[in-house]
Amino acid sequence: MKRSPRAVSRSGRDGAELGSFCAWDGDTLILNILGKPSAGKDAIGKVSGHQLNVSVTAAPVAGRATDHMVRFLAAEFGVAAKDIEVVFGRFNVNKQLRIRGPRHLPAVIGKHLARS
């Protein structure tokens, strides 16, 4: 059974449920992603419902777009690619990632977490 990102519920460090696209679990950031492969450029986009839009230039072939997304996001968050776990969605546009100890937060995430 595949789970949609809305069905995922994890407690954040403040005890809140993951009712949005991101939440903390200790020092790990949990992100629900809507991936857009074969895009013109790698970019973190806007929030759409309970997902963050992330575009990558890689084609969706054998998980290569997800692998490329992990490398792109690792640089954006200031972590090594091995610090990003794909919880589900390796071969799907709907994904959940766990990023251990991010050193940087992209603006859209920082703004959202500051309001929470």
Side-chain angles (χ1 to χ4, degrees), residues 96-107:
Q96 186 175 80
L97 305 180
R98 292 178 58 89
I99 303 171
R100 286 183 296 278
R103 292 187 192 101
H104 309 287
L105 294 178

Side-chain angles (χ1 to χ4, degrees), residues 26-87:
D27 69 342
T28 299
L29 182 64
I30 303 168
L31 285 179
N32 286 333
I33 303 280
L34 176 60
K36 299 193 182 222
S38 302
K41 65 178 184 173
D42 297 334
I44 296 174
K46 296 181 180 181
V47 176
S48 178
H50 293 283
Q51 294 177 295
L52 177 65
N53 290 309
V54 178
S55 303
V56 293
T57 55
V61 177
R64 288 186 190 127
T66 299
D67 294 343
H68 183 84
M69 180 183 292
V70 166
R71 289 188 302 273
F72 166 66
L73 291 176
E76 293 292 307
F77 285 92
V79 298
K82 66 182 174 97
D83 293 324
I84 299 179
E85 173 191 359
V86 179
V87 178

